[in-house]
Amino acid sequence: MATPAHCYYSFECLSASFKNQDPPSLAVVEELWEQHEQTKQLAALQEHQWISQDTPSRDGPQDFGSCDDEDETLEDGDILEDSEDGGNHDTEKKGRPRTIKLPSIKRLQGDLSSSSSSTSTTPSMSSANSSRSALSTSTTVTIPISRPSRSSPSEDRITARSRQLEESSYPLFVTWNTISKNGQKSLRGCIGTFEAQELAQGLKSYALTSAFDDTRFSPIPASLLPSLSCSLTLLGNFEPCEDAMDWVLGTHGLRISFVHRGRRYGATYLPDVAVEQGWTKEETVESLMRKAGWSGGGSGGGVARRLLRGSTNTGLSGSGKPWDDVYDFRAIRYQGLKASASYAEWQEWRKWAKGQDDGRAQLLDPAS
């Protein structure tokens, strides 16, 4: 699954290249990212506990009405989906006790403190929503608050993660965009491969290739780094199209190839491109043909309509127009898992990691 940690790693690779240094490993970045997300999740949970504590008791003199479901509780599985049993976190109470309304909250805290490789791309939001839905005004339970672990990631865990990453291979694309002061996004580089790449090496390679070798743009300078955002798309589910319209806008990316004047051309658009541009499927195909190097036809998808009336494997002829020289048109649809992160998000995470006094800063900057 693509996560913001992969985008942070791309930022690390690009930033390190400007300093002629080696970036931290992807395993370290993923480990620190997961710990940062867990810290944010626990902070959100504690905030809800404090709010619950400050809420007047139902047993007080005020009348807040009645509820027929006062004793209703949630099963553990209703709190976090696909969670594993965490360890016990019973610690000595410090200060006044916190109160919440969920008997199984200890398990939730155990889940948040355990490392999971199936974290979603927006775990802090999903955790906060799960916490809000789980809290109620019934069955008060007093529990101690467990603190985020201050221990640095163990070498054994990072080593195990590194081995796991070596077994993960994906076709992938890395995209760099610039974000203007008014929030406008502009493409600054996008290069990838349909050949499966070992994730860490593929990310590093294409983060730099996309930044420096996209011939549509000049190489990205260090001065542009603060205005960048990064997106990673992991590709899969490749299927041949019956024709060039056999795909779904917003769901599929499209890869085409064709022969024009004795030469084969090819190009691709990732799944989100057509929707972001507001194109129809026919406009997308024609734009993709032009991206590949084909120069015939007009605009508005008219050429694509003429092309698509014939078989995907048959050249057209008769009118002498440039598109009549296109033969052996082929299309493949695919899907992608995408994650994105801005420079500001990367810096927020980095500041948190650098602020830890337990060795995490040294993991993030191996050259220091």
Side-chain angles (χ1 to χ4, degrees):
M1 176 182 291
T3 70
H6 300 140
C7 300
Y8 294 169
Y9 180 67
S10 297
F11 268 112
E12 291 289 337
C13 292
L14 181 59
S15 177
S17 72
F18 293 131
K19 305 172 186 176
N20 293 320
Q21 296 177 352
D22 291 326
S25 70
L26 177 57
V28 165
V29 172
E30 284 190 348
E31 186 71 28
L32 293 177
W33 174 76
E34 286 188 1
Q35 290 194 2
H36 185 222
E37 292 301 310
Q38 291 164 8
T39 299
K40 292 193 296 183
Q41 290 173 21
L42 187 54
L45 178 62
Q46 290 174 334
E47 181 180 355
H48 284 297
Q49 293 172 341
W50 296 332
I51 292 174
S52 177
Q53 179 189 12
D54 294 337
T55 301
S57 171
R58 289 173 56 87
D59 297 329
Q62 292 178 313
D63 183 9
F64 290 95
S66 61
C67 177
D68 295 332
D69 299 321
E70 289 183 2
D71 295 328
E72 180 180 357
T73 60
L74 298 178
E75 296 294 331
D76 286 349
D78 294 329
I79 301 170
L80 286 179
E81 294 183 0
D82 300 327
S83 61
E84 298 179 357
D85 289 335
N88 292 327
H89 293 272
D90 295 331
T91 57
E92 182 180 354
K93 298 179 182 179
K94 297 182 179 180
R96 61 179 183 178
R98 272 56 168 174
T99 60
I100 67 165
K101 312 296 191 284
L102 186 62
S104 52
I105 193 66
K106 288 183 179 179
R107 180 173 178 215
L108 177 56
Q109 289 181 323
D111 291 336
L112 291 177
S113 64
S114 64
S115 178
S116 171
S117 61
S118 59
T119 307
S120 68
T121 56
T122 56
S124 59
M125 291 296 294
S126 63
S127 174
N129 290 337
S130 298
S131 301
R132 281 194 293 270
S133 65
L135 295 174
S136 66
T137 57
S138 64
T139 316
T140 300
V141 177
T142 301
I143 64 168
I145 297 298
S146 61
R147 302 295 179 184
S149 173
R150 303 252 337 147
S151 61
S152 61
S154 69
E155 292 184 3
D156 290 342
R157 197 158 69 181
I158 291 178
T159 300
R161 186 185 291 270
S162 296
R163 290 173 179 169
Q164 190 176 39
L165 286 170
E166 290 174 357
E167 300 174 357
S168 301
S169 298
Y170 302 91
L172 58 85
F173 275 72
V174 176
T175 303
W176 295 105
N177 290 289
T178 55
I179 308 297
S180 65
K181 292 182 179 180
N182 60 6
Q184 183 176 358
K185 183 173 69 173
S186 301
L187 181 64
R188 197 58 176 77
C190 181
I191 294 180
T193 177
F194 287 98
E195 298 294 329
Q197 303 286 307
E198 186 271 312
L199 189 55
Q201 184 57 43
L203 272 176
K204 180 178 180 181
S205 175
Y206 284 95
L208 300 180
T209 300
S210 179
F212 300 135
D213 297 333
D214 191 328
T215 57
R216 296 170 293 179
F217 309 96
S218 60
I220 293 177
S223 60
L224 202 59
L225 192 62
S227 65
L228 291 176
S229 71
C230 179
S231 296
L232 165 71
T233 307
L234 303 179
L235 311 182
N237 297 333
F238 292 87
E239 300 173 306
C241 298
E242 293 184 3
D243 56 61
M245 295 290 99
D246 185 25
W247 57 284
V248 179
L249 278 169
T251 299
H252 294 115
L254 190 65
R255 182 184 186 186
I256 67 169
S257 68
F258 56 91
V259 175
H260 178 53
R261 295 177 180 173
R263 177 182 174 186
R264 179 164 290 280
Y265 295 83
T268 190
Y269 278 143
L270 297 175
D272 56 339
V273 172
V275 174
E276 289 182 352
Q277 297 297 323
W279 292 333
T280 66
K281 291 164 73 171
E282 291 175 341
E283 289 169 339
T284 302
V285 172
E286 182 170 341
S287 174
L288 199 49
M289 291 174 65
R290 292 183 181 280
K291 179 183 178 183
W294 179 74
S295 59
S299 61
V303 175
R305 281 192 292 273
R306 295 186 186 95
L307 174 66
L308 298 172
R309 287 170 185 162
S311 166
T312 58
N313 292 316
T314 303
L316 306 179
S317 61
S319 67
K321 300 295 184 178
W323 57 84
D324 292 330
D325 293 330
V326 174
Y327 289 86
D328 195 22
F329 187 92
R330 303 176 186 177
I332 296 175
R333 66 190 182 198
Y334 58 88
Q335 298 182 45
L337 297 173
K338 182 178 180 180
S340 300
S342 66
Y343 174 87
E345 291 169 327
W346 169 55
Q347 285 295 297
E348 176 190 354
W349 164 79
R350 211 172 200 284
K351 181 178 180 181
W352 169 85
K354 295 285 285 183
Q356 307 306 306
D357 56 2
D358 54 9
R360 283 181 254 202
Q362 285 71 28
L363 288 170
L364 196 57
D365 289 319
S368 61

